[in-house]
Amino acid sequence: MKRIPMTVTVALMVSAATCALAASTVDLTVNGIITPVACTPIFSNNGLVDYGKISRQDLNVDKRTQLRDESLDLNISCNTAVRFALKMRDNREGSAIVNSEIYYGLNYDRSGNRIGLHSLYFDPASTVVDAVPQVYRTDSTTAGRAWSLSRSNSIPIAARSYLGFTDVAGSTAGPVAIRNLSSRVTLVTIIAPTSTLDLSDDAILDGSATLEIVYL
């Protein structure tokens, strides 16, 4: 849903000659659009990826360890064709071992050390949009005011950038209206060096992120 912009305008005039004429008022303007459009995203396996028990012997002592990549199916169904974009919100904000909007945390061990990170990659080649013969991805770092050149390469979804899809290569027009989208997304998970972790007890991987649909 689009955020509702709030504009507050304050006028204050101070001078010896006009002080008595200054108005002690403030105007508040609230704008927004309530749309009948609704899109429903669904992950396979309820969005759960479980790596089970991981032995410390399978992890690197002095460098990061990338676990096996895991895949999830994502389906987005809308009640009518609509332009939308995707972004992600980290529910374990601040716990990723790399500070970047494409990396999400796995929480902390018992001593407060960051356990690792995960990221979610979208591949246009694994994405189907309505009856479109080929899908390209496009992204925006300006909340949809401008869009990158649409491409066919894979991209991780970010927390502050928008990710959209189009059927036109090399376009900067942004996403096209979509009614149904299905994609196979890839989860990449990395564990911090064990030398930086407290493994005197189990360290629980506890990553959580929310995929958000932004209507354009």
Side-chain angles (χ1 to χ4, degrees):
M1 181 179 294
K2 288 188 175 180
R3 292 188 179 90
I4 299 178
M6 182 177 294
T7 304
V8 178
T9 304
V10 180
L12 179 63
M13 300 168 57
V14 179
S15 73
T18 62
C19 183
L21 300 178
S24 300
T25 62
V26 60
D27 294 329
L28 172 66
T29 302
V30 179
N31 297 319
I33 298 174
I34 299 176
T35 175
V37 173
C39 296
T40 303
I42 297 176
F43 275 123
S44 60
N45 201 36
N46 294 317
L48 174 64
V49 175
D50 187 355
Y51 284 98
K53 287 195 173 183
I54 304 166
S55 171
R56 66 181 300 168
Q57 294 181 340
D58 295 330
L59 303 174
N60 296 312
V61 175
D62 55 357
K63 63 180 181 179
R64 298 166 185 161
T65 303
Q66 181 172 332
L67 303 183
R68 68 181 183 274
D69 291 350
E70 294 285 350
S71 296
L72 288 171
D73 292 326
L74 171 67
N75 291 285
I76 299 175
S77 299
C78 306
N79 60 356
T80 189
V82 61
R83 295 177 71 246
F84 65 80
L86 304 175
K87 67 175 184 176
M88 195 94 101
R89 182 177 71 250
D90 191 359
N91 300 323
R92 303 291 182 261
E93 188 171 1
S95 69
I97 57 175
V98 176
N99 183 19
S100 170
E101 67 166 323
I102 64 171
Y103 296 131
Y104 308 93
L106 296 174
N107 226 332
Y108 303 90
D109 65 16
R110 59 182 296 170
S111 296
N113 302 306
R114 295 177 175 90
I115 295 175
L117 59 82
H118 62 98
S119 56
L120 191 68
Y121 282 78
F122 279 79
D123 185 356
S126 300
T127 302
V128 177
V129 170
D130 296 328
V132 170
Q134 187 167 352
V135 178
Y136 302 90
R137 58 88 172 173
T138 180
D139 55 282
S140 173
T141 59
T142 58
R145 292 186 296 274
W147 293 88
S148 71
L149 209 66
S150 57
R151 307 171 189 269
S152 59
N153 57 306
S154 177
I155 187 174
I157 189 167
R160 295 182 297 276
S161 301
Y162 290 179
L163 172 63
F165 301 93
T166 179
D167 58 348
V168 182
S171 170
T172 58
V176 295
I178 294 172
R179 182 160 188 173
N180 293 292
L181 178 148
S182 61
S183 185
R184 174 66 61 89
V185 296
T186 301
L187 181 77
V188 176
T189 304
I190 295 175
I191 305 299
T194 58
S195 60
T196 68
L197 298 175
D198 180 355
L199 297 179
S200 59
D201 198 355
D202 290 345
I204 308 299
L205 275 64
D206 184 28
S208 174
T210 300
L211 183 69
E212 181 180 348
I213 296 176
V214 181
Y215 300 106
L216 303 173

